[in-house]
Amino acid sequence: MDKILSLLTKENITFLIAVLGFLLSLYNFLRDILQNRMKLHVIYKNHLISEHDHKGITISMSIENKVKVPISISRIFLNIDDTSLEFYWIPQFVFQATQKCKGEILDEINVHTIPLPAHIEGYGIIGGFFFCKSPIPISNAELLSAKTSITIHSNKGTKFYPISMNNTSLER
C-alpha cells in the first residue's frame, strides 16, 4: 500500500493526465479521419444510347454522400471493360417536356445533364443524367455483357463503383 501511495506524486499524476490527454486526442483524430473519409453510394437507375449514332450514352444515376463532410467531385468516368469514357462537364440536353392546353404551350421544361465538377453537402445527394461519348458505336447487348463501373475522382481520392447496366430506356 505504501508503494502505491509513493507513486501518487504530483509529477506522476500530471504525467498520467498528459498521457491520457494525448491518447484521447489521438483517438478523436483517428475516429474523425475514419468517419469522414470518402464514402459514397452510387445508384444506377437506367441508361440510354443515342439512336442517331449509337455512341452517346446518357446514364441516370444518383450519388449519395454518406458522411457529414461535404465532398467535391471533379471527374467521373464510365468504365466498360478496359475502356474509360469521361462524362462531359458541359451540360448536355436530355429531353424537353411541355404542357399544352388547346394547342397553347403553358409550361416548358428542358432537362440537361449534371455539370461537373459537382459539390455534395454532408449527407447529401445529387441525381440526374450524366453523358459520355464512346469512340465507337456500342449496343445495349454489349453493355449488358461487359464489366461496367463508375470511377469518381474527388477531393478525397478516387474510388471505383461497379454497376450493372441492365436497365435500358427507350427514345420516344
Side-chain angles (χ1 to χ4, degrees):
M1 188 66 153
D2 289 334
K3 287 185 180 183
I4 294 174
L5 290 176
S6 67
L7 290 175
L8 296 176
T9 64
K10 182 178 180 182
E11 293 80 20
N12 288 345
I13 292 173
T14 305
F15 178 72
L16 182 62
I17 291 171
V19 169
L20 289 174
F22 172 74
L23 291 175
L24 185 60
S25 65
L26 184 64
Y27 167 77
N28 285 334
F29 174 73
L30 293 174
R31 183 183 62 135
D32 195 44
I33 286 176
L34 290 175
Q35 284 183 343
N36 294 317
R37 66 185 188 274
M38 183 172 163
K39 196 185 287 186
L40 298 175
H41 184 188
V42 175
I43 304 159
Y44 160 83
K45 295 179 182 172
N46 57 35
H47 71 277
L48 173 70
I49 297 176
S50 301
E51 288 292 321
H52 68 280
D53 67 356
H54 297 283
K55 291 183 178 182
I57 304 169
T58 304
I59 295 179
S60 174
M61 68 178 175
S62 56
I63 303 168
E64 181 181 5
N65 185 1
K66 304 288 267 181
V67 297
K68 67 180 176 180
V69 176
I71 190 165
S72 295
I73 296 173
S74 55
R75 301 169 81 187
I76 304 177
F77 293 87
L78 172 63
N79 307 307
I80 304 169
D81 290 330
D82 295 329
T83 306
S84 287
L85 310 173
E86 186 169 5
F87 287 107
Y88 280 35
W89 60 275
I90 299 172
Q92 303 292 309
F93 178 76
V94 177
F95 69 85
Q96 179 181 56
T98 58
Q99 181 181 9
K100 295 181 181 180
C101 181
K102 297 180 183 176
E104 181 183 340
I105 296 177
L106 301 175
D107 192 18
E108 181 178 280
I109 298 171
N110 294 315
V111 177
H112 293 83
T113 58
I114 302 291
L116 294 173
H119 181 80
I120 308 174
E121 291 297 329
Y123 301 118
I125 190 167
I126 61 169
F129 297 97
F130 296 84
F131 177 80
C132 62
K133 197 146 184 115
S134 174
I136 58 170
I138 194 159
S139 70
N140 285 313
E142 290 171 319
L143 282 178
L144 188 58
S145 65
K147 181 181 175 189
T148 54
S149 64
I150 299 290
T151 303
I152 297 178
H153 294 262
S154 75
N155 61 332
K156 296 190 178 270
T158 302
K159 282 215 174 174
F160 301 92
Y161 300 90
I163 60 170
S164 177
M165 296 184 70
N166 58 1
N167 191 10
T168 306
S169 289
L170 300 173
E171 275 190 70
R172 293 180 192 209

